[in-house]
Amino acid sequence: MSTALIWFRRDLRVADNPALSAALDAHDRVIPVYVHAPDEEAPWSPGAASRWWLHHSLTSLDRRIRDLGSILQVARGPTLPALRRMIRRFDASALYWNRLYEPAIVARDTGIKQRLIDEGIDARGFKANVLFEPWEIQTGQDQPYRVFTPFWRKARSQLQVRPPLSKPEGLAKPEGDSVQTIDDLELLPRIRWDSRFHDEWTPGEPGATEAFEDFIESGLRDYASDRDRPDRAGTSRLSPHLHFGEISPMQIAWALEERVHQSGDSARSAGADSFLREIGWREFSQHLLFHFPDMPERNLNPRFDAFRWDDEDPASIRRWQRGRSGIPIIDAGMRELWTTGSMHNRVRMLVASFLTKNLRQHWHHGQRWFWNTLVDADLANNAQGWQWTAGCGVDASPYFRIFNPVSQGEKFDPRGDYVRRWVAELAAVPAPLIHHPWSDPGISERTGYPAPMIDLAASRTLALAAYKDLPKSDAD
């Protein structure tokens, strides 16, 4: 009997799983395994919110696998010894997995593959979690793209959607149970700060499928206009499901093409195009991280190595983290993040701009906080997003573009519903004042909501002055 291991990582689904399908096609018995080795991802081991999601996603995956007749084999790392033990235990001749692209994981997986091949094991990786491998989209000079628009134009022209792979009809049950359990991994917090997470999210493949179906049916028509409105349920909320591989980009692209574009509904088709472009941003982030592996640590634009960040101010950073800045839409976003493990994308840009430009604190502080508190914390997306807003990335918002949180709030949260939801002190403040309550000094006295920690206009002037001190680029 030919046996293969299918090594689950961040592809926690049984449908449209290329490694699983290939293993089932080639072998009589396929054993699903998961190895927990966060230290091997250092310095970017999963943060607290990500660990919460991982626990529940693994639990969901285990239920799916048990429904198919098997059991998820769980082990602690180091990864190579753990895989070798399971290869010996099940007398496996092959190991299959779906590729990931973070630098530490690429290095680890490359070493594991070579060692196992040297030992006579058929070790294979597959494309499953992206539409394009990071090396598949290149410029005419065979160089990586550094600007999103031409990257996506080329990627979109080359995209060939395929039907999703079916889930298996069944899996052979291995002898004995898993040596370790998901609970043994101790992923959940000991202090239960996650109570609201359960109200907001359903981790796992069924939850991802349900969220996508809801979005397809009710969210696409107005997506292009509503996606920037934090006061509306206008986004897909698929980001953590995508990060953990509970749904694949190809499943999404196929559904958008076959169920939306073929329907002839022009409004929904426009929403589908807009949403697929957001998937493209995710692809672009993976592309950048693969080609510029120091992106989480270093400015992609080296001019910013000389930028005059303000002296590190732990007290100011802490006020930003706690949602006590005195700027309503900033505080709403930071409290939403702490409470739910997520934040509306438009507001993510606002809070990042406030930290890096108004407070002039290094983008690393924000990147680390998001890494620990976001359920969808993704190394490529997180680093790319912070560099984009800070102005130091390869395809960045210009540093001199400084979001005004008051005018942004008035534009995208015009009645103040988003602020009132997350900043309880301001629940009774009327719309004309909700985004600048300091205009009426009595509001602070009545509610206890803090005065702004910084003068927005003055801090903008200082940020622009620091920007002007940067050395000129060759293009200047």
Side-chain angles (χ1 to χ4, degrees):
M1 176 181 287
S2 172
T3 299
L5 303 184
I6 167 70
W7 176 22
F8 283 94
R9 294 105 71 74
R10 288 203 303 275
D11 51 349
L12 304 181
R13 63 185 185 273
V14 295
D16 199 46
N17 190 313
L20 177 59
S21 294
L24 287 166
D25 286 344
H27 297 273
D28 302 308
R29 186 176 66 156
V30 174
I31 307 297
V33 305
Y34 174 80
V35 180
H36 188 59
D39 291 347
E40 295 174 3
E41 300 180 50
W44 296 102
S45 302
S50 293
R51 293 195 297 273
W52 176 89
W53 190 286
L54 177 60
H55 172 92
H56 293 289
S57 189
L58 285 171
T59 301
S60 175
L61 177 66
D62 185 45
R63 286 196 296 266
R64 300 275 283 176
I65 288 172
R66 287 175 186 268
D67 288 343
L68 294 171
S70 188
I71 297 169
L72 180 64
Q73 303 293 318
V74 177
R76 286 185 176 274
T79 299
L80 181 57
L83 290 173
R84 281 172 167 157
R85 287 194 296 272
M86 284 191 275
I87 287 169
R88 290 194 298 269
R89 176 184 171 189
F90 297 109
D91 193 24
S93 61
L95 175 72
Y96 291 66
W97 68 88
N98 293 309
R99 285 187 283 271
L100 297 171
Y101 307 100
E102 290 86 345
I105 295 177
V106 169
R108 180 197 66 184
D109 292 356
T110 300
I112 287 175
K113 180 177 182 178
Q114 190 57 57
R115 296 288 290 276
L116 292 180
I117 289 174
D118 291 345
E119 294 166 14
I121 302 299
D122 181 12
R124 301 188 187 186
F126 295 83
K127 178 174 75 172
N129 298 318
V130 290
L131 296 172
F132 296 96
E133 304 272 25
W135 52 86
E136 289 182 329
I137 304 298
Q138 301 286 317
T139 69
Q141 292 73 43
D142 294 327
Q143 295 296 313
Y145 277 96
R146 298 169 65 92
V147 179
F148 172 71
T149 299
F151 167 86
W152 182 237
R153 186 184 302 118
K154 186 168 186 178
R156 188 70 183 89
S157 70
Q158 295 185 4
L159 178 60
Q160 295 181 336
V161 297
R162 59 160 175 77
L165 302 169
S166 300
K167 75 172 185 178
E169 295 181 359
L171 293 170
K173 186 175 182 179
E175 303 83 5
D177 211 331
S178 176
V179 174
Q180 292 185 306
T181 69
I182 296 168
D183 286 338
D184 291 336
L185 305 182
E186 299 181 310
L187 296 166
L188 293 176
R190 295 178 180 176
I191 300 174
R192 298 310 300 268
W193 44 258
D194 61 329
S195 59
R196 283 286 297 273
F197 282 26
H198 298 277
D199 298 331
E200 296 284 335
W201 304 105
T202 305
E205 187 175 9
T209 301
E210 181 179 2
F212 185 49
E213 289 297 324
D214 287 347
F215 180 62
I216 283 276
E217 295 302 320
S218 61
L220 272 180
R221 180 176 298 277
D222 298 314
Y223 178 75
S225 59
D226 283 2
R227 58 180 293 270
D228 280 324
R229 293 286 298 268
D231 59 337
R232 298 177 180 174
T235 61
S236 71
R237 293 172 61 81
L238 286 172
S239 180
H241 297 293
L242 276 164
H243 173 71
F244 285 94
E246 299 162 357
I247 189 170
S248 73
M250 188 57 72
Q251 286 174 296
I252 291 171
W254 175 261
L256 295 178
E257 178 64 30
E258 295 298 309
R259 294 172 53 188
V260 179
H261 283 299
Q262 299 299 326
S263 71
D265 186 326
S266 58
R268 295 180 73 233
S269 291
D273 288 339
S274 181
F275 183 60
L276 188 61
R277 183 180 173 87
E278 294 305 305
I279 301 296
W281 265 105
R282 180 179 181 271
E283 298 277 319
F284 184 54
S285 295
Q286 297 288 338
H287 173 89
L288 288 178
L289 181 62
F290 181 82
H291 291 287
F292 306 98
D294 58 356
M295 183 170 74
E297 284 80 33
R298 299 192 55 151
N299 301 312
L300 290 178
N301 183 344
R303 293 176 64 205
F304 276 81
D305 294 347
F307 183 73
R308 290 190 293 108
W309 299 104
D310 206 351
D311 292 338
E312 184 174 331
D313 185 350
S316 293
I317 294 170
R318 183 62 176 160
R319 284 190 64 175
W320 174 81
Q321 292 171 340
R322 295 178 60 204
R324 298 289 294 171
S325 72
I327 311 296
I329 200 164
I330 302 300
D331 293 342
M334 298 307 293
R335 296 184 195 188
E336 179 190 17
L337 172 61
W338 183 256
T339 304
T340 70
S342 187
M343 188 193 304
H344 189 277
N345 188 60
R346 165 63 56 172
V347 185
R348 292 189 196 198
M349 292 189 288
L350 300 183
V351 302
S353 176
F354 183 79
L355 179 71
T356 59
K357 295 177 179 178
N358 295 100
L359 298 182
R360 251 178 45 246
Q361 297 294 298
H362 200 291
W363 58 272
H364 284 165
H365 298 299
Q367 181 190 30
R368 276 289 180 188
W369 185 250
F370 273 26
W371 183 255
N372 199 45
T373 53
L374 282 171
V375 291
D376 63 351
D378 179 274
L379 187 61
N381 288 350
N382 197 34
Q384 154 76 342
W386 276 96
Q387 292 221 35
W388 185 90
T389 308
C392 56
V394 294
D395 185 13
S397 172
Y399 188 85
F400 51 80
R401 182 187 182 190
I402 301 174
F403 288 112
N404 183 316
V406 175
S407 61
Q408 288 279 306
E410 292 172 338
K411 180 177 181 180
F412 295 110
D413 183 29
R415 295 182 301 185
D417 294 341
Y418 175 74
V419 167
R420 290 191 190 89
R421 180 182 180 189
W422 297 110
V423 185
E425 306 98 300
L426 302 180
V429 175
L433 291 171
I434 190 72
H435 292 293
H436 50 93
W438 55 86
S439 298
D440 179 355
I443 292 177
S444 180
E445 297 173 6
R446 292 193 302 272
T447 65
Y449 184 68
M453 64 185 292
I454 199 166
D455 182 286
L456 292 174
S459 63
R460 181 179 187 277
T461 299
L462 291 172
L464 292 175
Y467 172 76
K468 288 181 180 179
D469 286 345
L470 282 175
K472 301 296 183 182
S473 69
D474 294 338
D476 292 336

